[in-house]
Amino acid sequence: MGITIDLGKAKAITHDKRRVARSVEFAPLDIKVSIPSEAEAAEAARAVIRTKYAEIQTAVNAATDVAALKTIMEQLA
């Protein structure tokens, strides 16, 4: 009897890691967006981050096996 991995739970774990990585990238920009002279550039950078992690979210949702999720997790490390 081998080990069975629940794909739904594996996706949930991957989404959690994605959220943490996204928060880390957003942290310095959250402060800069409140500074008038840096707000525009900070918001542009935040838009790029939102797009990046939306694409990762789509990839996680579309994953059909654990190998695909492992590849995504490696990108988040």
Side-chain angles (χ1 to χ4, degrees), residues 8-23 53 56 60 73 76:
K9 288 181 182 180
K11 284 183 177 186
I13 292 167
T14 306
H15 278 305
D16 288 343
K17 183 157 181 158
R18 175 187 55 82
R19 288 181 193 104
V20 169
R22 182 178 179 218
S23 293
Y53 285 98
I56 293 171
V60 171
M73 290 286 273
L76 297 171

Side-chain angles (χ1 to χ4, degrees), residues 4 23 30 46 49 59 72:
T4 303
S23 293
D30 289 342
R46 287 164 50 104
I49 293 169
I72 294 167

Side-chain angles (χ1 to χ4, degrees), residues 22-39:
R22 182 178 179 218
S23 293
V24 168
E25 285 194 49
F26 266 134
L29 298 172
D30 289 342
I31 296 168
K32 289 184 178 187
V33 79
S34 67
I35 302 169
S37 64
E38 297 182 32

Side-chain angles (χ1 to χ4, degrees), residues 46-75:
R46 287 164 50 104
V48 170
I49 293 169
R50 278 192 292 275
T51 299
K52 172 184 171 181
Y53 285 98
E55 291 170 358
I56 293 171
Q57 179 175 351
T58 300
V60 171
N61 290 338
T64 57
D65 59 22
V66 175
L69 294 176
K70 284 183 181 181
T71 300
I72 294 167
M73 290 286 273
E74 289 170 358
Q75 295 172 355

